[in-house]
Structures are given as structure tokens and as C-alpha cells.
Amino acid sequence: MPCEAKPRFVVVYGSQKGQAQSIAEGIAEEAEEHGLAADLSCLDQNEKYNLEKESAPVVFIVSTTGDGEPPDNTLQFVKRIKKKALPPDHYKHLCYALLALGDTNYANFCNCGKTIERRLRELGAKQFYPTGYADDGSGLEVVVDPWLEGLWSAITEALSKMASDKTPDLKENAENPATEIPDVQLNLLSLTDQQSCDPVSPSRSTDSKYASPPAIRDLRPASSSGGAGLASQRPSSVAAPKTQTCNDAELAASLTFSLPPLSESSLNVPALPPPFLDVTFQDVDSVEQTVGPLNRETLFEVPVSKAVQLSRGDSVKTALLLELDISAYPTMTYQPGDSFDVFCPNRADEVDNMLRRLDLQDQKNHHVLITLRKDTKKKGAQLPSHIPQSVSLLFLLTWCLEIRSVPKKAFLRALVEHTADGAQRRRLQELCSKQGAADYNLYVRDPSLGVPELLAAFPSCSPPLSLLIEHLPKLQPRPYSAASSRLKHPGKLRFVFNAVELPACPGRPAGRRGLCTGWLFDLINPCLVFPGKLESSGGPFLPKIPVSLRPNCSFRPPPDPSVPFIMVGPGTGVAPFIGFLQQREEERKEKPEAMFGETWLFFGCRHRDKDYLFREELEDFVSGGALTHLRVCFSRDDRKDEEAVSSAAQPRYVQHNLLLHSQQVIDILFRQNGSVYICGDAKNMAKDVNETLVEIIKSELHVDQLDAMKKLAQLREEKRYLQDIWA
Ligand code: FAD
């Protein structure tokens, strides 16, 4: 008897670091449990989906990257749907739901999701389920989990509605396609949920992600390993052990240990992600020589021609300037404001530890063959595109996987199956459970605990290599802003960075250095020169680093040199402005008769004599006229006059200096059509500056908060308020 085809829907995703992808894959996997079939595609797999003809509901899962940009694999899709020539009924037939991932630490929260949604509506598509806006800054799962729970009934209802009506009985919004609030209620969600970008809290329906089959009493024996052996059952609901007898009041919770009520609670753990990869090894005759990421057309191995420590040795942060010699690569052209990617390897000692942990030291030079498991239950299973065929295990762990990535809950869930010790297994279950969400945030997410640190804390956990490949994302290159102009330094590209130090935490007793900045620091250490010696030679040792340019053309000085502009860049945030000003300096030399608008730079650091980066160069810009106004503040310098510390006359941070110059700021932005550029720390500075600009607009233009915010949004829209910020 032929089986009846399951009703289908489509899941498409746009993902930079794999989060959106893994959510989309999770939906596709779970579909079957709901009697549905999901067609899963990445938004750049044009051959796999066709929205122009799609008659089934479509679920979009999209993240946002950089300053509100689409992920790389979504750029073309966004470009396509933004085409002005598309008629307003282009997607009239389309029924969609959308989950947007973003981070409120950055401006343009969830911008890619919002852009796609706006265009879908403008083109006549109808929403069948309210959009979720998940914030990585406070924990994606806060929005993602309830959104996913409500999704299934919404899809089912949308399907039945579409089946009964042939054409969906959705109230058309084609008359006013840009209407913000769709008048749609195909699901149980209240309309008020749709009216803001706040997390939606759909009413709970049958919960299969957190299905609760009969509780399985898990073990919590004394901490020694070897108790239970590898778990063979796959509990979705785990009851608490009754065996915790120690005096909890004297103990503190930690990464590896929990207290009541969590330790006594029944747990709802996510469903076990189905394994989908098989890994075998092939012994090869010769040891691979590849020492960098595999050649790509856009990747250049460029020598470091200069390395200078900009901050003093006793400064809290170590700021370094690197100059790259790109003269051998004429296609590597950049403009001030551009950034580029540095490809760094994982640390050799961490790779070694991982090999030991996987018990694969002897196979490190073997080629890894990865195939899809024939019997996998994972929907849309694919070979990971970031791992080339026939690379050695050593290469794979060194250049392909972000082995330090923070393990997601699905990964923790999968690790449970490979953990021998009952107590450790229980704790991993807690950390990925609904009930343990706060502990997960506290011990894993907030301190950015990496997989090696997690494995060190759970010694009886021995995952197979295939599991790491299934769950670890691609090793990401790190972007840096160009801190030079090619006009001033032909054939050279400079950048500035702080050597990142992650503090110690329960799972990381010794702290940790940033991956890329730690690698760069070690690499250039032998040829490092110190402040005041910027022009001295880098010495005989010239390491090479793999880099590629990033396409970002919006953070550029105004094309018309007569337009005035303001730059706000404390600390290493000053980097792109050095490029702007070098460019301006050269342009002034080339065209002495031209009109140049005034330029303002607001710089800040801790101490005048320790970390005032580029001090001489900035003062030279002022005396040479490229920089009209330089305003600098020092947040930690002792002040003799204590009152002055709090007074506006002694600004501590860049935003205080902006306030002092409110009139000039308003004049440039609203009377002279000028621009403001912000660069640096996304978490605090960019937010504070944004709030200060709102305050300045309020007080100088005598408008209320909402109007001030609208004016600022308008500037952003006109690309006259630009940010290049990072966490
Ligand atoms: P990683 O090993 O990646 O560690 C950094 C991570 O650790 C962060 O993601 C954060 O989650 C976490 N973390 C950091 N501090 C803590 C803490 N205290 N506690 C817990 N977790 C923490 N940087 C510059 O210095 N100069 C630039 O010019 C520059 N330009 C950039 C331009 C763009 C467009 C972007 C997106 C970023 C830019 N960055 C710049 C940031 C840079 O790309 C790297 O993120 C930074 O150098 C750290 O890289 P890393 O590999 O050393 O650190």
C-alpha cells in the first residue's frame, strides 16, 4: 500500500556561525514527530528551494552579523528580494514565519531578519506566525524555545487552512504591504505579541521538543567514574536522584556541581540530536605539509613588516599595531574604513589535548574521511562544507573547527551519551535542561566556556570525533579594521588590536588568551618594537599571516571632502580613523585648493601616559590641519580636584566630551548634513554614545525622547550615523 505523503513545509536559513543553521536543522528533524515533512535549505542553495512557486508554509531562520548585515550565505538572497523591480504581489502566494537571531549589544538588532520580513510583506507575503526576535546578548533560548514550541501548531493550522481554502484565507495586506502589524491569526498567539519586536511568548502547545516520556531515574553515585557505563537510554525527562546526602548548605554550586532545587528536580532535556556522520581514517604515506587554511582565491599569505606595541608595558590592556606588506598582492586594495579577516589556527597545545582526549594521537597525520551515516534520522543531513575532503586529522582540528566554541545545549545533550560517570552525566543533563537554564548561562554561556574547558571539567566524557565534527562550528576568521591609508602607506595595511585576556572562572581556573590575538602576539613577539619606535625596522624575522578582505563598503569617510564629520573612537576604536585622517592628509596635499570640511575626533583611554594610542600622529594631524578638533579624555588618571571628576569640565569618557560639544555636534549633523562615525566596544561605549546622542538631540533641538530617537534613526538610514563596533 502506498504511504500517504506527509504534509510538507519549507525551512530556509541564513547563518554565519551556525546557530540559525542548527535551529533550522532541529526544526527539520522534529517535523516527522509532528506528522510533517520539512524541506531544509540554506538561503544560498538556490537550486533546492523556489519561493517564487512555493505553496507550502515557509519558515525562515536568519541571523544577523557585523553592523546589521546579513550572513555571508544570505547576502545574495537579500539582494534579490530587495530589487525595486519586483512587483508588490511577487510573494502574494507565500505564507511565512520568521525567527530572527541578533544581539542587542549591537545596533541594528536582528536587522537581517527585519529586512527580510519587511520585504516579504512589501511583496505581498502573509505571516502565519508572529516573528521571534532572539537576543544572543541575553540568551537566544529565552525567545527561541517558546517560539519553537508554538511553531508546530501554527504550521499545522496554516496547512489545514491552506488545504481547505486552496488559497489561504489570510487577510491580505497587499493594499498596504508595508503595514507593520499583519492582521493575521492563524494560530493561538495573541495579536499583541505581534506588535513589537519583543520576544514572543506563544501559548504552550503539545511540547514534543521537551517531550516527557516516562521518567527515567538517573544515577548520581559518588563521583568516581565507571559507575553506569555509557548511557544507552535517551531520556527526555530525567528524574532527580534521591542519593544526594551531603550537606548542601556547605557546598557551592559550580560548573560540575548543583544544589537543590535543581539537583533534586526532574529534568526536561532536549531530544537527542541524531548522529549523522561516520568518520574513518586513512593512513597516508607522506605527512601533510599544509600549514595554513586551504588556499582560497581571496586568501593572501602576507608578511608582517612591522609590529609595534602601542601601549606601555604596565598598561591594563596591551595594544599592538601590525603592519602587513601587501605590495605583492595588487588586487588587495582597501579603503580607510574597510576591515579584513585574519585566519588563525587553533592553539597547538589545545589541539594536542583534544587529540589525547579523543585517544587519536596516533592518527593525527591520517586523512579523515567523513561520510553521511546511511541510517541517520537527521533530516537534511549534509557533510560539513567547511571541512575539505582528505585533510589530516591534525589539519582538521587546527584549521577547520572552532574547538573553543561555547557548547550549545544540543551538544551538551549529545555529550551525555558519551559520559561514563553518573554524576557527571546528571550535571550535563541539568546544564542542557529547561530547569538548568540559569546554570547554563552562569557557568557556560556568560564566561564563554569553551569545549576543551568543558571536557576538562567532565573527565569521564569521551566523545567520538564524529560528534565534534557534527557540533563544532567552522573556525571563524577574526575581522580587524584597517588603520592606515594606501595613499600614505602604499603597499601596506596596518591594524591595531588589544591582546584579549579572558578572566579566570570556575571552569577556567587560569584564564585564557583570545585565540587570534594570542596567536598574533606570539607570532610577532620576536620582532616587536616599543612605543616611540614606530618607524624602526621589524627585524629579520617576518612571519606571514593569512588574510582576506571583507566586503563592507559603508564605513567610509564622506565622498565629498567638504562635508564635516565626527569620529568617536576610544581605545583601539581609533584604528579606522587613523586611516581616515591619513587619507585626508594626503588628499589635502594633492589638492591644496579644495574645500575640506572640519573633522572632529573624540578619543579616550585610561591613562594619558600609558595607553594614549597614536598620540604623536594625532597631534600631527591637528598641527597639519587634517584633524580640526581633537578631544581626548582619560578615564583613570588621578585628579587633584575631586569635584572636577564628576563635573562636566573633566570628561571621563568620550560621551562626556560629546556632551560638552553638543552644539557643534548638532550643527554638523543637522545643519551641515555631516556624519558621525563610532568605532570600538559594542557592549558599553557604543550604547552610551548612542544614548548621549539622543540626549544631545533632545536638549539642543527641543524635542522629546521619541522624536530624538527618530532623528537618530533617520541619520542611520541616511548612512550618516555609522558604526563599526565589536564585542
Ligand atoms: P576570542 O578567542 O575569539 O575570544 C573573544 C571572545 O571571548 C568574545 O567573543 C567574547 O564572547 C569572549 N570574551 C571576551 N571577553 C570576555 C570576558 N571578559 N569574559 C567572558 N568572555 C569574554 N578588534 C580589535 O582589537 N581591533 C580592531 O580593529 C577590530 N576590528 C573589528 C572589526 C569588525 C567588523 C569586527 C566584527 C570585529 C573587530 N574586532 C577588532 C574584534 C576582533 O575581530 C576579535 O573579536 C578580537 O580581536 C578577539 O579575537 P580573539 O580571537 O583574540 O578572541
Side-chain angles (χ1 to χ4, degrees), residues 1 240 333 463 556 717:
M1 260 190 34
T333 53
R556 299 260 171 90
E717 190 87 347

Side-chain angles (χ1 to χ4, degrees), residues 339 404 446-448 478-481 496-498 500 502-503 508 514-517 550 572 575 724 726:
S339 46
R404 282 182 174 189
D446 295 347
S448 301
R478 272 51 172 178
Y480 293 91
S481 309
V496 182
F497 63 92
N498 275 325
V500 170
L502 274 70
R508 187 169 52 227
L515 183 68
C516 186
T517 55
R550 281 165 67 91
T572 48
D724 183 13
W726 56 83

Side-chain angles (χ1 to χ4, degrees), residues 459-691:
S460 79
C461 177
S462 299
L465 176 64
S466 58
L467 197 76
L468 296 189
I469 300 176
E470 284 168 5
H471 287 270
L472 291 178
K474 175 185 176 190
L475 178 59
Q476 292 284 334
R478 272 51 172 178
Y480 293 91
S481 309
S484 52
S485 154
R486 285 185 301 132
L487 292 184
K488 173 142 189 181
H489 298 287
K492 298 285 174 3
L493 166 59
R494 292 178 168 191
F495 67 104
V496 182
F497 63 92
N498 275 325
V500 170
E501 297 277 349
L502 274 70
C505 67
R508 187 169 52 227
R512 182 179 86 194
R513 294 194 304 167
L515 183 68
C516 186
T517 55
W519 174 70
L520 286 171
F521 185 82
D522 290 345
L523 205 64
I524 49 106
N525 209 7
C527 54
L528 198 58
V529 295
F530 288 89
K533 296 187 182 163
L534 192 58
E535 297 311 321
S536 67
S537 144
F541 174 68
L542 293 177
K544 286 187 170 185
I545 61 173
V547 300
S548 76
L549 283 181
R550 281 165 67 91
N552 172 17
C553 305
S554 58
F555 201 79
R556 299 260 171 90
D560 175 357
S562 69
V563 170
F565 62 93
I566 300 165
M567 299 163 279
V568 183
T572 48
V574 73
F577 305 134
I578 297 296
F580 282 26
L581 292 166
Q582 287 181 355
Q583 181 102 344
R584 173 59 62 100
E585 198 177 39
E586 296 304 309
E587 285 167 354
R588 284 168 62 92
K589 278 188 212 157
E590 273 173 23
K591 297 183 196 154
E593 73 297 342
M595 269 277 291
F596 289 94
E598 61 176 346
T599 50
W600 287 74
L601 174 65
F602 292 87
F603 176 75
C605 59
R606 286 167 182 246
H607 302 285
R608 180 189 296 272
D609 56 355
K610 289 189 190 172
D611 54 358
Y612 186 171
L613 312 182
F614 297 103
R615 179 177 180 171
E616 280 172 28
E617 191 163 358
L618 289 174
E619 288 171 355
D620 287 348
F621 286 139
V622 175
S623 52
L627 180 58
T628 328
H629 304 279
L630 172 63
R631 295 290 177 266
V632 186
C633 53
F634 307 100
S635 61
R636 310 291 160 88
D637 271 347
D638 288 339
R639 287 137 214 256
K640 293 190 182 86
D641 174 4
E642 267 310 310
E643 263 182 42
V645 174
S646 56
S647 83
Q650 280 276 9
R652 235 175 223 284
Y653 297 109
V654 282
Q655 62 270 22
H656 301 150
N657 246 335
L658 276 170
L659 263 182
L660 282 181
H661 297 88
S662 297
Q663 284 176 6
Q664 290 93 331
V665 170
I666 291 296
D667 193 51
I668 287 175
L669 296 180
F670 294 97
R671 298 195 185 97
Q672 299 190 55
N673 216 24
S675 305
V676 57
Y677 300 83
I678 322 288
C679 182
D681 166 41
K683 273 217 158 98
N684 304 307
M685 184 277 295
K687 274 186 178 169
D688 292 343
V689 167
N690 190 75
E691 278 164 22

Side-chain angles (χ1 to χ4, degrees), residues 180-236:
E180 278 303 305
I181 316 304
D183 188 8
V184 173
Q185 200 170 10
L186 275 181
N187 47 57
L188 301 175
L189 301 169
S190 74
L191 278 174
T192 49
D193 282 339
Q194 304 177 20
Q195 303 200 1
S196 75
C197 296
D198 291 332
V200 293
S201 300
S203 56
R204 303 215 163 193
S205 55
T206 320
D207 179 351
S208 69
K209 183 176 174 213
Y210 292 104
S212 297
I216 296 166
R217 190 158 296 281
D218 197 48
L219 309 167
R220 190 161 183 163
S223 61
S224 67
S225 60
L230 294 190
S232 56
Q233 282 168 299
R234 297 174 177 181
S236 287

